[in-house]
Amino acid sequence: MQRKEVEAYVKDKYQTTPEFMWKKYPSYAVLRHQDNRKWYGLLMTVERGQLGLEGDGSEEIMDIKLDPKEVELR
């Protein structure tokens, strides 16, 4: 799923608009619940090397906050 698709999905399903909070990282977007303003996701652009990937350039990733009970490790 592309970043624009994620943004459209959370806007439609959760009425969430990405917030760009950091001047140093202008492409980082925070996704918050509307009722309590707590974050549930972070969209970031990260250099491939920081992810242990080969090659130049960057990748868009999403960090999702989940209850540990809901995460299945394999």
Side-chain angles (χ1 to χ4, degrees):
M1 186 177 272
Q2 298 295 316
R3 183 182 188 122
K4 292 293 181 191
E5 293 172 303
V6 171
E7 291 175 0
Y9 177 81
V10 298
K11 184 175 184 179
D12 181 55
K13 181 148 179 103
Y14 302 107
Q15 294 73 51
T16 299
T17 303
E19 297 178 40
F20 298 90
M21 303 176 64
W22 300 284
K23 189 181 279 188
K24 184 175 180 181
Y25 301 104
S27 67
Y28 284 27
V30 176
L31 303 172
R32 297 178 189 255
H33 295 286
Q34 291 300 312
D35 57 348
N36 61 15
R37 304 297 297 149
K38 291 185 178 182
W39 75 276
Y40 65 87
L42 178 63
L43 299 169
M44 301 174 280
T45 304
V46 180
E47 294 298 318
R48 292 178 59 84
Q50 291 179 303
L51 298 170
L53 301 174
E54 294 182 11
D56 295 329
S58 59
E59 296 289 331
E60 291 186 342
I61 64 172
M62 182 173 181
D63 182 14
I64 301 172
K65 186 176 178 182
L66 290 174
D67 184 327
K69 297 173 195 165
E70 296 178 28
V71 177
E72 181 180 326
L73 300 175
R74 295 179 190 223

